[in-house]
Every structure is written in C-alpha cells, then in structure tokens.
C-alpha cells in the first residue's frame, strides 16, 4: 500500500507539472513553444497566436490527465507485472502523438 501512495504522489507531481505547462501556455499572450529545444515562433510568424497557445496548452493539460489515468489503470490491474504497462505507456505513448500534433499545428498556423 505504501508503494502505491508513493507512486501516486510521484505521478501526481509529474501530471501537475505537465498540466502547469499547459495552464501557463493557455494564459500566455505571446507565442509559446513546444519545449523540444526549438525557439517559439514570433507573433508575426503565426496567423492566430491565441489559437496556437490554446491548442498547445490544451495538449499539455490533456497529457497531465492521461498520466493520472494511466496510474489509475495500472492500480486497477493490481500488484502484477502487467500493471507497469499502462503506467509507463500513459507517460511514453503520448509523446510521439504530441510531436505529431505540434507539427500539424506548425503547418496550420505558421505563415
């Protein structure tokens, strides 16, 4: 039981950090970046800064929620080796999807 509590606290901190990135991006008035090492675009490079920030922010908030749901799914499986699959999958699988979505947004909003 103590292991689950420690795991929950860790997953909660990581999920809160990811959702915090999203909330920061939702509130930002200047264009935000994807946190992949690339520089955020300038305002004049985007057709709609508010939509760019909103879509990136929602993406990060959803990622935080997925992390928590993955932990819950792993806990529902009980104390088995297989409970690691949804827990790690919920953290790792969304990353390539987020990269793909960011590239889609670049094509959509970058002039």
């Amino acid at each position: 039981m103590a292991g689950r509590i420690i795991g929950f606290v860790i997953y909660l901190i990581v999920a809160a950090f990811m959702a915090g990135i999203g909330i920061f991006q939702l509130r930002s008035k200047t264009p935000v970046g994807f946190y992949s090492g690339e520089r955020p675009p300038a305002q004049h490079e985007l057709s709609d800064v508010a939509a760019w920030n909103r879509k990136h922010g929602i993406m990060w908030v959803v990622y935080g929620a997925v992390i928590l749901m993955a932990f819950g799914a792993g806990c529902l499986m009980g104390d088995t080796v297989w409970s690691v699959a949804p827990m790690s999958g919920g953290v790792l699988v969304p990353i390539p999807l987020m990269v793909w979505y960011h590239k889609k947004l670049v094509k959509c909003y970058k002039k």
Side-chain angles (χ1 to χ4, degrees):
M1 185 66 169
R4 281 194 185 172
I5 293 171
I6 293 169
F8 176 72
V9 169
I10 291 169
Y11 270 72
L12 186 64
I13 290 168
V14 171
F17 182 73
M18 299 305 167
I21 289 172
I23 292 168
F24 169 77
Q25 290 184 343
L26 286 168
R27 293 182 177 179
S28 179
K29 302 296 181 202
T30 59
V32 297
F34 181 63
Y35 299 103
S36 62
E38 68 183 7
R39 198 177 52 82
Q43 283 187 329
H44 68 275
E45 295 176 331
L46 296 174
S47 59
D48 188 353
V49 174
W52 169 269
N53 289 352
R54 184 177 58 253
K55 289 184 179 183
H56 274 87
I58 290 170
M59 175 179 62
W60 283 98
V61 170
V62 167
Y63 182 43
V66 167
I67 291 171
L68 284 180
M69 287 188 290
F71 179 80
C75 285
L76 288 176
M77 295 182 80
D79 291 330
T80 67
V81 173
W82 296 107
S83 66
V84 176
M87 289 179 170
S88 58
V91 174
L92 299 175
V93 170
I95 294 171
L97 297 173
M98 292 169 64
V99 171
W100 169 80
Y101 187 63
H102 169 69
K103 289 181 180 180
K104 181 180 173 186
L105 292 178
V106 168
K107 289 179 185 176
C108 184
Y109 290 105
K110 212 159 186 194
K111 294 179 187 176

